[in-house]
Amino acid sequence: MKIDRIELRQINLPFISPFQTAGGIEESSNSIIVKVTSGGVSGWGESSVSRDPHYIEETTSTVLSIQKEVLAPLIMKKKITNPGDITEILKNVRGNRFAISGLESAVWDLWCKTKKQNLSKYIGGKKERVPVGVSIGIQKNERELISLCDNYLREGYRRIKIKIKPGWDIIPLKSIRERWHDIMLQVDGNCAYSYKGISVLESFDKFNLLMIEQPFSYDDLLYHSVLQRRIKTPVCLDESIVSEGKAAEALIMDACRVINIKPGRVGGILNAVIIHHLCRKNKIPVWCGGMLETGIGRAINVCLASLPGFTLPGDISANSRYFKRDIVMNPFKLNADGTLTVPTIPGHGAIVDERYLNKVTINKIIIK
Ligand code: OSB
Ligand code: MG
């Protein structure tokens, strides 16, 4: 198979409500949507980056430029015998993992469609439905937070994650736990804590959390390991785990007892599957994180989460939690048991609504 055409699109798709983390606020999806074509068949991928480098170093504009100038020319017209070849072809590219993942996942979709294989089945997915939760951004006050939790729990989400930062942690946790003693609850610090503030995190055991996600800096494994030794609650790493090597290092250091896997952060589906295998071998539970993806990245996440080691609910809510209208024809709906149904059609399963995609596209680059 040879890729004969690559289409890169910058989109602007407004969220239902702005999403605030310790790093910043996001009002709309600024993902790069990738379409690759070979012999009349197309595959779709997504680089789910943000406009600003608050979660990782990459941004919408760096992704677009690296894909156009560096990655697409390396991939075009190369003979591809399986999607893993993309990771091999791009192995000398440093960093830029979200940029790589958009192209890599599009090639996986194309390849699976060509072979009439479903992505979940092809990578070894075992589940027909995957348990999911909801991630709630930083709110103005506890009243708004409680009302959002209430709505999501009524909709059927069984696990709540809240974003925290110094000054917005004990108060929201107390107010949630006063109202719901035993819901599955976890927190995400998005690197906002300094090791000097470790004592507040040490006090979280009393809230009976599923995990504390990435409280310290993305380049800090040491203090995550110090924290993990001092608390019972599992530490989960997100930003720090950018490769299989980093995951192995974190496990040796006991820097976490849970890992959040996102295809974008680790440079694509293949690396995500490899990290899953490593964690499973080491009996470390994993779950699929989210980057507020459109329906394309969301379908990829659901397929990934069908692997057997994804035993914890993912940050993969139904499309309607993010967008009034998504760029796919077949949005996921939340099942009554708090799960999403894994697609079974060839590829990752998202059927792109190209007319609506055209409407929300603000920049398009075609490489032939
Ligand atoms: O840290 O998990 C994160 C969103 C954007 C960037 C980083 C993160 C998140 C989320 C939202 O927590 C997860 C989602 O619902 O997609
Ligand atoms: Mg996170």
Side-chain angles (χ1 to χ4, degrees):
M1 187 174 87
K2 283 183 182 155
I3 309 295
D4 38 49
R5 188 174 189 277
I6 297 179
E7 209 176 273
L8 307 170
R9 287 162 186 266
Q10 184 179 351
I11 60 164
N12 188 286
L13 185 65
F15 294 131
I16 284 177
S17 53
F19 191 84
Q20 189 174 350
T21 68
I25 189 153
E26 294 188 52
E27 317 243 350
S28 58
S29 165
N30 293 280
S31 282
I32 300 295
I33 302 298
V34 180
K35 182 184 186 184
V36 296
T37 307
S38 170
V41 184
S42 296
W44 294 89
E46 173 171 359
S47 291
S48 51
V49 271
S50 313
R51 213 191 46 210
D52 302 318
H54 292 157
Y55 170 78
I56 27 118
E57 297 90 333
E58 294 175 85
T59 68
T60 306
S61 71
T62 70
V63 165
L64 195 58
S65 120
I66 289 283
Q67 286 177 334
K68 175 178 165 226
E69 313 284 338
V70 181
L71 308 179
L74 284 170
I75 292 169
M76 292 283 281
K77 316 238 159 40
K78 288 266 165 49
K79 191 158 176 275
I80 294 162
T81 50
N82 81 71
D85 292 351
I86 299 297
T87 311
E88 179 62 24
I89 293 167
L90 301 180
K91 71 168 191 281
N92 291 330
V93 174
R94 294 217 179 151
N96 293 287
R97 295 180 178 91
F98 276 82
I100 293 171
S101 83
L103 281 157
E104 193 245 19
S105 55
V107 173
W108 274 90
D109 186 42
L110 166 63
W111 192 88
C112 286
K113 282 174 176 163
T114 309
K115 303 283 172 201
K116 299 199 166 43
Q117 293 248 12
N118 166 259
L119 176 64
S120 157
K121 290 274 147 35
Y122 184 72
I123 60 177
K126 295 281 179 258
K127 284 172 254 161
E128 285 170 19
R129 292 172 162 217
V130 297
V132 297
V134 66
S135 171
I136 302 181
I138 291 169
Q139 301 300 312
K140 277 200 215 77
N141 53 48
E142 304 104 82
R143 201 168 38 79
E144 299 204 1
L145 174 67
I146 292 295
S147 128
L148 274 176
C149 289
D150 199 37
N151 291 344
Y152 289 129
L153 291 167
R154 272 176 218 272
E155 279 179 46
Y157 290 104
R158 299 249 216 81
R159 184 225 66 179
I160 299 280
K161 160 172 143 182
I162 63 165
K163 296 288 188 182
I164 55 166
K165 62 177 184 182
W168 175 261
D169 42 29
I170 300 283
I171 293 169
L173 282 172
K174 255 199 186 133
S175 54
I176 293 181
R177 274 298 181 227
E178 269 165 21
R179 173 122 186 209
W180 296 285
H181 303 290
D182 49 12
I183 54 162
M184 286 197 264
L185 180 65
Q186 65 194 65
V187 293
D188 186 355
N190 284 112
C191 310
Y193 291 80
S194 133
Y195 67 91
K196 294 177 196 144
I198 197 165
S199 61
V200 70
L201 301 164
E202 285 175 49
S203 76
F204 285 6
D205 273 345
K206 63 172 177 286
F207 293 117
N208 185 26
L209 302 174
L210 270 183
M211 68 192 81
I212 301 176
E213 182 179 344
Q214 196 76 41
F216 302 127
S217 179
Y218 58 93
D219 57 1
D220 181 337
L221 289 181
L222 181 62
Y223 279 95
H224 284 108
S225 157
V226 171
L227 176 66
Q228 184 64 91
R229 277 151 216 245
R230 292 188 190 170
I231 61 174
K232 286 207 203 76
T233 308
V235 171
C236 167
L237 290 176
D238 173 354
E239 284 91 327
S240 291
I241 307 298
V242 296
S243 62
E244 183 194 17
K246 270 292 161 202
E249 207 179 310
L251 298 191
I252 289 170
M253 288 175 72
D254 191 22
C256 64
R257 293 187 186 153
V258 174
I259 288 181
N260 157 339
I261 301 182
K262 296 177 180 174
R265 201 193 59 227
V266 302
I269 294 172
L270 179 64
N271 288 339
V273 171
I274 289 172
I275 294 172
H276 160 271
H277 293 342
L278 173 77
C279 291
R280 196 159 147 78
K281 214 172 84 194
N282 287 280
K283 301 195 164 52
I284 293 290
V286 301
W287 55 283
C288 185
M291 291 293 297
L292 313 169
E293 287 87 350
T294 73
I296 297 172
R298 194 162 305 285
I300 293 164
N301 288 348
V302 172
C303 289
L304 184 65
S306 71
L307 292 175
F310 284 81
T311 53
L312 293 160
D315 275 351
I316 337 173
S317 315
N319 309 56
S320 61
R321 176 251 179 278
Y322 308 90
F323 308 106
K324 205 154 95 190
R325 180 172 171 190
D326 204 335
I327 54 172
V328 296
M329 311 274 219
N330 54 344
F332 291 96
K333 305 228 161 52
L334 186 68
N335 298 317
D337 60 352
T339 62
L340 298 186
T341 302
V342 180
T344 52
I345 60 175
H348 51 55
I351 301 169
V352 177
D353 180 347
E354 290 199 54
R355 272 173 70 185
Y356 189 54
L357 174 60
N358 282 335
K359 280 209 177 139
V360 300
T361 297
I362 54 177
N363 185 11
K364 181 162 119 180
I365 293 169
I366 294 170
I367 304 146
K368 303 201 252 212

